Structures are given as structure tokens and as C-alpha cells.
Amino acid sequence: MGNRAFKAHNGHYLSAEHDHVKTHHGHHDHHTHFHIENHGSKVALKTHCGKYVSIGDHKQVYLSHHLHGDHSLFHLEHHHGKVSIKGHHHHYISVDHHGHVSTSHHHDHHATFEEHIL
């Protein structure tokens, strides 16, 4: 499906840096580019360094060196020109007003991103 960047409600982009998913403000660069891999009805988000975005059993967002089954697979839900990233146990990747990345069981503006096709 190609590469994407995801811009949060606060203007920051999801970013993969070291072993963490963070946000990066201002502009997007290679840290904010995610390759979308098709896996049937779901997708995986692979980072520039070959790691996978994943959601753990304790609802934390982390980067994995390997595809961790359902922990690393997501539904991209499109809503009114924006996208939500719904993962393991029906939790959405979200960004709070401070720019911290976490998960939310609720679909709200914190869990909605502008999707930039690269």
C-alpha cells in the first residue's frame, strides 16, 4: 500500500525513534514514514528501520523487531477524510494534547489523524 505519514490533531506526526513511538512536530521526515503492509483485512505499520508498530497486552504502543501477530496488525478506519488506527483489543492509537502516544478505547479526535500518502 506504500508509505504514509500520520499527522495528529495537535499538528505533530507519529514518529518512530529508537524503540519508541513518539510524535514529531513541524514537518515529517524518515522517522515519520510508515510502510503499510497488507495482511488480509488488516495492515502492519513498518518503520524506516524495519520495526513494527505494536500494541501490547497492557495497551502500550511500542516498536517490535518482528511482526507480533495481532499485536502488530491494525485496521485503518477512514472517517471524513481522516484515519484512525485501530489495533489489538479494539484500542486506537491516540495522541494526547501534550503529544504523548498511547491507546484509547474510545474513538475521538485524539485518535484521528490526517493521512499523508508519500
Coordinates of all heavy atoms in Angstrom, one line a residue, residues 24-82:
H24 N 6.5 13.9 16.5 CA 7.5 14.9 16.0 C 6.8 16.1 15.4 O 5.9 15.9 14.6 CB 8.3 14.2 14.9 CG 9.5 15.0 14.4 ND1 10.6 15.2 15.1 CD2 9.6 15.6 13.2 CE1 11.4 15.9 14.4 NE2 10.9 16.2 13.3
H25 N 7.1 17.2 15.9 CA 6.3 18.4 15.5 C 6.9 19.1 14.2 O 8.1 18.8 13.9 CB 6.3 19.4 16.6 CG 7.6 20.0 17.0 ND1 8.4 19.3 17.8 CD2 8.2 21.1 16.7 CE1 9.5 20.0 18.0 NE2 9.4 21.1 17.3
G26 N 6.1 19.8 13.6 CA 6.5 20.6 12.5 C 6.4 20.0 11.1 O 5.5 20.2 10.4
H27 N 7.4 19.1 10.8 CA 7.4 18.6 9.4 C 7.6 17.1 9.6 O 7.9 16.5 10.6 CB 8.5 19.2 8.6 CG 9.9 18.9 9.2 ND1 10.4 19.5 10.4 CD2 10.8 18.0 8.9 CE1 11.6 19.0 10.7 NE2 11.9 18.1 9.8
H28 N 7.4 16.4 8.4 CA 7.7 14.9 8.5 C 9.0 14.6 7.8 O 9.4 15.3 6.9 CB 6.5 14.1 7.9 CG 6.1 14.4 6.5 ND1 6.7 13.8 5.5 CD2 5.2 15.2 6.0 CE1 6.2 14.2 4.3 NE2 5.3 15.1 4.7
D29 N 9.7 13.6 8.3 CA 11.0 13.1 7.8 C 10.9 11.6 7.8 O 9.9 11.0 8.0 CB 12.2 13.7 8.5 CG 12.2 13.3 10.0 OD1 11.5 12.4 10.4 OD2 12.9 13.9 10.7
H30 N 12.1 11.0 7.6 CA 12.1 9.5 7.5 C 11.6 8.8 8.8 O 11.1 7.7 8.8 CB 13.5 9.0 7.1 CG 14.5 9.2 8.1 ND1 15.1 10.4 8.4 CD2 15.1 8.3 9.0 CE1 16.0 10.2 9.3 NE2 16.0 9.0 9.7
H31 N 11.7 9.5 9.9 CA 11.2 8.9 11.2 C 9.7 8.8 11.2 O 9.1 8.0 12.0 CB 11.7 9.7 12.4 CG 13.1 9.7 12.6 ND1 13.8 8.6 13.2 CD2 14.1 10.6 12.4 CE1 15.1 8.9 13.3 NE2 15.3 10.1 12.8
T32 N 9.0 9.7 10.4 CA 7.6 9.7 10.4 C 7.0 8.9 9.3 O 5.7 9.0 9.1 CB 7.1 11.2 10.4 OG1 7.5 11.8 9.2 CG2 7.6 12.0 11.6
H33 N 7.8 8.3 8.5 CA 7.3 7.5 7.4 C 7.0 6.0 7.8 O 7.9 5.4 8.3 CB 8.2 7.5 6.2 CG 8.5 8.9 5.7 ND1 9.4 9.2 4.7 CD2 7.9 10.1 6.0 CE1 9.3 10.5 4.4 NE2 8.4 11.1 5.2
F34 N 5.9 5.5 7.5 CA 5.5 4.2 7.8 C 5.1 3.5 6.5 O 4.2 4.0 5.8 CB 4.3 4.1 8.8 CG 4.7 4.7 10.2 CD1 4.5 6.1 10.4 CD2 5.2 4.0 11.2 CE1 4.9 6.7 11.6 CE2 5.6 4.5 12.4 CZ 5.4 5.9 12.6
H35 N 5.7 2.3 6.3 CA 5.3 1.5 5.2 C 4.1 0.6 5.6 O 4.1 -0.1 6.6 CB 6.4 0.6 4.7 CG 6.1 -0.2 3.5 ND1 6.0 0.3 2.3 CD2 5.8 -1.5 3.4 CE1 5.6 -0.7 1.4 NE2 5.5 -1.8 2.1
I36 N 3.0 0.7 4.8 CA 1.8 -0.1 5.1 C 1.9 -1.4 4.4 O 1.9 -1.5 3.2 CB 0.6 0.7 4.7 CG1 0.6 2.1 5.2 CG2 -0.7 0.0 5.0 CD1 0.6 2.2 6.7
E37 N 1.9 -2.5 5.2 CA 2.0 -3.8 4.6 C 0.6 -4.5 4.8 O 0.0 -4.5 5.8 CB 2.9 -4.7 5.4 CG 4.4 -4.4 5.3 CD 5.3 -5.4 6.0 OE1 4.7 -6.3 6.8 OE2 6.5 -5.3 5.9
N38 N 0.0 -5.0 3.7 CA -1.2 -5.7 3.7 C -1.1 -7.1 4.3 O -0.2 -7.8 4.0 CB -1.8 -5.9 2.3 CG -2.6 -4.7 1.8 OD1 -3.3 -4.1 2.6 ND2 -2.4 -4.4 0.5
H39 N -2.0 -7.4 5.2 CA -2.1 -8.7 5.9 C -3.6 -9.1 5.9 O -4.2 -9.1 7.0 CB -1.5 -8.7 7.3 CG 0.0 -8.5 7.3 ND1 0.9 -9.6 7.3 CD2 0.7 -7.4 7.2 CE1 2.1 -9.1 7.2 NE2 2.1 -7.8 7.2
G40 N -4.1 -9.4 4.8 CA -5.6 -9.7 4.7 C -6.4 -8.5 4.9 O -6.2 -7.5 4.2
S41 N -7.3 -8.6 5.9 CA -8.2 -7.4 6.1 C -7.5 -6.4 7.0 O -8.1 -5.3 7.3 CB -9.5 -7.9 6.8 OG -9.2 -8.5 8.0
K42 N -6.3 -6.7 7.5 CA -5.6 -5.8 8.4 C -4.3 -5.3 7.7 O -3.9 -5.9 6.7 CB -5.3 -6.4 9.7 CG -6.5 -6.8 10.5 CD -6.1 -7.5 11.8 CE -7.4 -7.8 12.6 NZ -7.0 -8.5 13.9
V43 N -3.6 -4.4 8.3 CA -2.3 -3.9 7.9 C -1.3 -3.8 9.0 O -1.7 -3.8 10.2 CB -2.4 -2.5 7.2 CG1 -3.3 -2.5 6.0 CG2 -2.8 -1.4 8.2
A44 N 0.0 -3.9 8.7 CA 1.1 -3.6 9.6 C 1.7 -2.3 9.2 O 1.8 -1.9 8.1 CB 2.1 -4.8 9.6
L45 N 2.2 -1.6 10.3 CA 2.9 -0.3 10.1 C 4.4 -0.6 10.3 O 4.8 -0.8 11.5 CB 2.4 0.8 11.0 CG 1.0 1.4 10.6 CD1 -0.1 0.5 10.7 CD2 0.8 2.6 11.5
K46 N 5.2 -0.6 9.3 CA 6.6 -0.9 9.4 C 7.4 0.4 9.3 O 7.1 1.3 8.4 CB 7.0 -1.8 8.3 CG 8.4 -2.4 8.4 CD 8.7 -3.5 7.4 CE 10.0 -4.1 7.6 NZ 10.2 -5.2 6.6
T47 N 8.3 0.6 10.2 CA 9.1 1.9 10.3 C 10.2 1.9 9.3 O 10.6 0.9 8.7 CB 9.6 2.0 11.7 OG1 10.6 1.1 12.0 CG2 8.5 1.9 12.8
H48 N 10.9 3.0 9.2 CA 12.0 3.2 8.4 C 13.2 2.3 8.7 O 14.0 2.0 7.9 CB 12.5 4.7 8.4 CG 13.1 5.1 9.7 ND1 12.4 5.3 10.9 CD2 14.4 5.2 10.1 CE1 13.2 5.6 11.9 NE2 14.4 5.5 11.4
C49 N 13.2 1.8 10.0 CA 14.3 1.0 10.4 C 13.9 -0.5 10.5 O 14.6 -1.3 11.0 CB 14.9 1.4 11.7 SG 13.7 1.5 13.1
G50 N 12.7 -0.8 9.9 CA 12.3 -2.2 9.8 C 11.6 -2.8 11.0 O 11.3 -4.0 11.1
K51 N 11.2 -1.9 12.0 CA 10.5 -2.4 13.1 C 9.0 -2.2 12.9 O 8.6 -1.4 12.0 CB 10.9 -1.6 14.4 CG 12.3 -1.9 14.8 CD 12.8 -1.1 16.0 CE 14.2 -1.3 16.3 NZ 14.7 -0.5 17.4
Y52 N 8.2 -2.9 13.7 CA 6.7 -2.8 13.5 C 6.1 -2.1 14.7 O 6.4 -2.4 15.9 CB 6.1 -4.2 13.4 CG 6.5 -4.9 12.1 CD1 7.6 -5.7 12.0 CD2 5.7 -4.7 11.0 CE1 7.9 -6.3 10.9 CE2 6.0 -5.4 9.8 CZ 7.1 -6.2 9.8 OH 7.4 -6.8 8.6
V53 N 5.1 -1.2 14.4 CA 4.3 -0.6 15.5 C 3.4 -1.7 16.0 O 2.8 -2.4 15.3 CB 3.5 0.6 14.9 CG1 2.6 1.2 16.0 CG2 4.4 1.7 14.3
S54 N 3.3 -1.7 17.4 CA 2.6 -2.8 18.0 C 1.9 -2.2 19.3 O 2.3 -1.2 19.8 CB 3.5 -3.9 18.5 OG 4.2 -4.5 17.4
I55 N 0.8 -2.9 19.7 CA 0.1 -2.6 20.9 C 0.2 -3.8 21.8 O -0.2 -4.9 21.5 CB -1.3 -2.2 20.7 CG1 -1.4 -0.9 19.9 CG2 -2.1 -2.0 22.0 CD1 -2.9 -0.5 19.5
G56 N 0.8 -3.6 23.0 CA 0.9 -4.7 24.0 C -0.3 -5.0 24.8 O -1.3 -4.3 24.7
D57 N -0.2 -6.1 25.6 CA -1.3 -6.5 26.4 C -1.8 -5.5 27.4 O -2.9 -5.5 27.8 CB -1.0 -7.8 27.1 CG -1.0 -9.0 26.1 OD1 -1.7 -9.0 25.1 OD2 -0.2 -9.9 26.4
H58 N -0.8 -4.6 27.8 CA -1.2 -3.6 28.8 C -1.5 -2.2 28.1 O -1.4 -1.2 28.6 CB 0.0 -3.4 29.8 CG 0.3 -4.6 30.5 ND1 -0.6 -5.1 31.5 CD2 1.3 -5.5 30.4 CE1 -0.1 -6.2 32.0 NE2 1.0 -6.5 31.3
K59 N -1.8 -2.4 26.8 CA -2.3 -1.2 25.9 C -1.2 -0.2 25.6 O -1.5 0.9 25.2 CB -3.5 -0.6 26.5 CG -4.6 -1.5 26.7 CD -5.8 -0.9 27.5 CE -6.7 -1.9 28.1 NZ -6.2 -2.6 29.2
Q60 N 0.1 -0.6 25.8 CA 1.2 0.4 25.5 C 1.5 0.2 24.0 O 1.4 -0.8 23.4 CB 2.4 0.1 26.3 CG 3.2 -1.1 26.0 CD 2.7 -2.5 26.5 OE1 1.5 -2.6 26.9 NE2 3.5 -3.5 26.4
V61 N 1.9 1.3 23.4 CA 2.3 1.4 22.0 C 3.9 1.2 22.0 O 4.5 1.9 22.7 CB 1.9 2.7 21.3 CG1 2.4 2.7 19.8 CG2 0.4 2.9 21.4
Y62 N 4.4 0.3 21.2 CA 5.8 0.0 21.2 C 6.3 -0.4 19.8 O 5.4 -0.7 18.9 CB 6.2 -1.0 22.3 CG 5.7 -2.4 22.0 CD1 6.5 -3.4 21.3 CD2 4.4 -2.8 22.3 CE1 6.0 -4.6 21.1 CE2 3.9 -4.1 22.1 CZ 4.7 -5.0 21.4 OH 4.3 -6.3 21.2
L63 N 7.6 -0.5 19.6 CA 8.1 -0.9 18.3 C 8.7 -2.3 18.6 O 9.4 -2.6 19.6 CB 9.2 0.0 17.8 CG 8.8 1.4 17.5 CD1 10.0 2.2 17.0 CD2 7.7 1.3 16.3
S64 N 8.4 -3.2 17.6 CA 8.9 -4.6 17.7 C 9.8 -4.9 16.6 O 9.6 -4.5 15.4 CB 7.7 -5.6 17.7 OG 8.1 -6.9 17.6
H65 N 10.8 -5.7 16.8 CA 11.7 -6.2 15.8 C 11.1 -7.1 14.8 O 11.5 -7.3 13.7 CB 13.0 -6.8 16.3 CG 13.9 -5.8 17.0 ND1 14.7 -5.0 16.4 CD2 14.0 -5.6 18.3 CE1 15.4 -4.2 17.2 NE2 15.0 -4.6 18.4
H66 N 10.0 -7.8 15.2 CA 9.3 -8.8 14.5 C 7.8 -8.5 14.4 O 7.3 -7.8 15.4 CB 9.5 -10.2 15.0 CG 10.9 -10.5 15.2 ND1 11.7 -10.8 14.1 CD2 11.7 -10.5 16.3 CE1 13.0 -11.1 14.6 NE2 13.0 -10.9 15.9
L67 N 7.1 -9.0 13.5 CA 5.6 -8.9 13.4 C 5.1 -9.7 14.5 O 5.3 -11.0 14.5 CB 5.1 -9.3 12.0 CG 3.7 -9.1 11.7 CD1 3.4 -7.6 11.6 CD2 3.3 -9.8 10.4
H68 N 4.4 -9.2 15.5 CA 3.8 -9.9 16.6 C 2.4 -10.2 16.5 O 1.6 -9.9 17.4 CB 4.1 -9.1 17.9 CG 5.4 -9.2 18.5 ND1 5.8 -8.6 19.6 CD2 6.5 -9.9 18.1 CE1 7.0 -8.9 19.9 NE2 7.5 -9.7 19.0
G69 N 2.0 -10.8 15.4 CA 0.6 -11.3 15.2 C -0.4 -10.1 15.4 O -0.1 -9.0 14.9
D70 N -1.4 -10.4 16.1 CA -2.5 -9.3 16.3 C -2.0 -8.1 17.0 O -2.5 -7.0 16.8 CB -3.7 -9.9 17.1 CG -4.5 -10.8 16.2 OD1 -4.5 -10.7 15.0 OD2 -5.3 -11.6 16.8
H71 N -0.9 -8.2 17.7 CA -0.3 -7.0 18.4 C 0.2 -6.0 17.4 O 0.3 -4.8 17.7 CB 0.8 -7.4 19.4 CG 0.3 -8.2 20.5 ND1 -0.1 -7.7 21.7 CD2 0.2 -9.6 20.7 CE1 -0.4 -8.6 22.5 NE2 -0.2 -9.8 22.0
S72 N 0.6 -6.5 16.2 CA 1.2 -5.6 15.2 C 0.3 -5.4 14.0 O 0.7 -4.9 13.0 CB 2.5 -6.2 14.7 OG 3.4 -6.4 15.8
L73 N -1.0 -5.8 14.1 CA -1.9 -5.6 13.0 C -3.0 -4.6 13.3 O -3.5 -4.6 14.5 CB -2.5 -7.0 12.6 CG -1.5 -8.0 12.0 CD1 -2.1 -9.3 11.8 CD2 -0.8 -7.5 10.8
F74 N -3.4 -3.8 12.3 CA -4.3 -2.7 12.6 C -5.4 -2.7 11.4 O -5.1 -3.1 10.3 CB -3.6 -1.4 12.6 CG -2.6 -1.3 13.7 CD1 -1.2 -1.8 13.5 CD2 -2.9 -0.9 14.9 CE1 -0.3 -1.7 14.5 CE2 -1.9 -0.8 16.0 CZ -0.7 -1.2 15.7
H75 N -6.5 -2.1 11.8 CA -7.5 -1.6 10.8 C -7.3 -0.1 10.6 O -7.2 0.6 11.6 CB -8.9 -1.9 11.3 CG -9.3 -3.3 11.3 ND1 -9.6 -4.0 10.2 CD2 -9.4 -4.2 12.3 CE1 -9.9 -5.3 10.5 NE2 -9.8 -5.4 11.8
L76 N -7.2 0.3 9.4 CA -7.2 1.8 9.1 C -8.6 2.2 8.8 O -9.2 1.8 7.8 CB -6.3 2.1 8.0 CG -4.8 1.8 8.2 CD1 -4.0 2.3 6.9 CD2 -4.2 2.5 9.4
E77 N -9.3 2.9 9.8 CA -10.7 3.3 9.6 C -10.7 4.7 9.1 O -10.2 5.6 9.8 CB -11.4 3.2 10.9 CG -11.5 1.8 11.5 CD -12.2 1.8 12.8 OE1 -12.5 2.8 13.4 OE2 -12.5 0.6 13.3
H78 N -11.3 4.9 8.0 CA -11.4 6.3 7.4 C -12.7 6.9 7.7 O -13.8 6.3 7.6 CB -11.2 6.2 5.8 CG -9.8 5.7 5.4 ND1 -9.5 4.4 5.3 CD2 -8.8 6.5 5.2 CE1 -8.2 4.4 5.0 NE2 -7.7 5.6 4.9
H79 N -12.6 8.2 8.2 CA -13.7 9.0 8.7 C -13.6 10.4 8.2 O -12.7 11.1 8.6 CB -13.8 9.0 10.2 CG -13.8 7.7 10.9 ND1 -14.9 6.9 11.1 CD2 -12.7 7.0 11.4 CE1 -14.5 5.8 11.7 NE2 -13.2 5.9 11.9
H80 N -14.4 10.8 7.3 CA -14.5 12.2 6.8 C -13.1 12.8 6.4 O -12.7 13.8 6.9 CB -15.1 13.1 7.9 CG -16.4 12.6 8.4 ND1 -17.6 12.6 7.7 CD2 -16.8 12.0 9.6 CE1 -18.6 12.1 8.4 NE2 -18.1 11.7 9.5
G81 N -12.4 12.0 5.6 CA -11.1 12.4 5.1 C -9.9 12.2 6.1 O -8.8 12.6 5.8
K82 N -10.2 11.6 7.2 CA -9.1 11.3 8.2 C -9.1 9.8 8.5 O -10.0 9.1 8.1 CB -9.3 12.2 9.5 CG -9.2 13.7 9.2 CD -9.0 14.4 10.5 CE -8.8 15.9 10.1 NZ -8.4 16.7 11.2

